[in-house]
Amino acid sequence: KMDHHCPWVANCVGQGNYHHFLLLIVNAFVASVILITNTISLLFSHIGGERSSKGGAEEDHVAMIIVITVLFTSAAVALGALVSLHLYLLLTNQTTRELWRRFSRRRQRKTGVFDTTSIIFTSSTH
């Protein structure tokens, strides 16, 4: 059965290739965590005194390392959330479409104070 279309792999993810998709996002998450730990250790080695006295070039390297660390940290957080979601779906035997269908039905049934007042004040009386 078809799960969803993934624009990142430019293919539909389904029963036949779901394990490949899951391995892709798990490996991307692990790679980003490895890159974060390497860039942080490199940053500490530059800050900690193992650097040479080259002046401005060293400051540029430190700034670049900080930017790379921030970028890979944000990627790792997003990939971690995606991996967590798909592991939950795998353990509960659901597809992404089933989860979103259930979520949208729950949202439609749930009408709070703001939804009710918006219905009352925006509905036409004709």
Side-chain angles (χ1 to χ4, degrees):
K1 59 186 178 179
M2 203 270 289
D3 188 0
H4 68 283
H5 179 78
C6 179
W8 302 107
V9 295
N11 201 359
C12 289
V13 177
Q15 191 173 9
N17 62 355
Y18 189 75
H19 58 283
H20 294 294
F21 174 73
L22 193 59
L23 285 174
L24 172 75
I25 60 176
V26 167
N27 286 330
F29 174 71
V30 169
S32 62
V33 169
I34 289 170
L35 284 168
I36 290 167
T37 56
N38 286 338
T39 55
I40 288 175
S41 68
L42 186 63
L43 181 66
F44 283 138
S45 72
H46 275 285
I47 292 174
E50 296 177 16
R51 59 181 182 211
S52 62
S53 59
K54 291 185 181 176
E58 284 295 322
E59 292 172 3
D60 291 342
H61 289 302
V62 170
M64 179 81 74
I65 292 169
I66 290 172
V67 168
I68 290 171
T69 304
V70 168
L71 288 174
F72 278 111
T73 301
S74 59
V77 168
L79 285 167
L82 188 63
V83 167
S84 299
L85 172 70
H86 281 280
L87 286 177
Y88 167 76
L89 292 174
L90 186 68
L91 293 173
T92 57
N93 197 21
Q94 295 183 72
T95 64
T96 308
R97 293 180 69 159
E98 291 168 344
L99 177 72
W100 287 117
R101 204 174 296 136
R102 189 182 63 176
F103 177 73
S104 67
R105 270 188 255 140
R106 184 182 303 160
R107 239 178 114 194
Q108 288 172 356
R109 282 190 308 237
K110 191 179 199 180
T111 54
V113 174
F114 295 112
D115 296 328
T116 307
T117 55
S118 103
I119 290 170
I120 290 171
F121 290 117
T122 59
S123 63
S124 63
T125 57
H126 311 20

